[in-house]
Amino acid sequence: MTRLEKLIRELPPRLQREVEDFAEFLKSRESSGSDGPMRQSWAGGLAAWRDRLTSVELQHESRNWWGR
């Protein structure tokens, strides 16, 4: 078992689903071969931030994450 697999197994099921969603997002982004505009295929993937940031703050933060 890899270190990553061990870490994921130690997470509660809710967080395991978030890891899975994020991994699928990364896979789709990598396979698209495009650094174009952000797609909405990851909708709901940032739900954990809902109580921490407003939608406008989240928009600004996501631009920082994407290096824009």
Side-chain angles (χ1 to χ4, degrees), residues 30-63:
E30 185 67 20
S31 66
S32 73
S34 170
D35 289 334
M38 292 176 59
R39 292 166 187 58
Q40 297 298 314
S41 60
W42 51 269
L46 299 174
W49 293 90
R50 183 179 331 167
D51 298 327
R52 299 181 206 161
L53 300 172
T54 67
S55 60
V56 173
E57 290 169 328
L58 184 55
Q59 180 183 11
H60 290 287
E61 202 58 39
S62 69
R63 287 180 174 267

Side-chain angles (χ1 to χ4, degrees), residues 4-58:
L4 178 59
E5 290 170 324
K6 185 175 187 286
L7 287 170
I8 293 170
R9 287 176 191 232
E10 292 173 355
L11 293 172
R14 176 183 60 81
L15 294 178
Q16 288 179 8
R17 287 188 297 274
E18 284 190 41
V19 171
E20 181 180 7
D21 289 344
F22 184 65
E24 287 176 359
F25 160 71
L26 290 175
K27 183 179 175 186
S28 69
R29 186 179 74 177
E30 185 67 20
S31 66
S32 73
S34 170
D35 289 334
M38 292 176 59
R39 292 166 187 58
Q40 297 298 314
S41 60
W42 51 269
L46 299 174
W49 293 90
R50 183 179 331 167
D51 298 327
R52 299 181 206 161
L53 300 172
T54 67
S55 60
V56 173
E57 290 169 328
L58 184 55

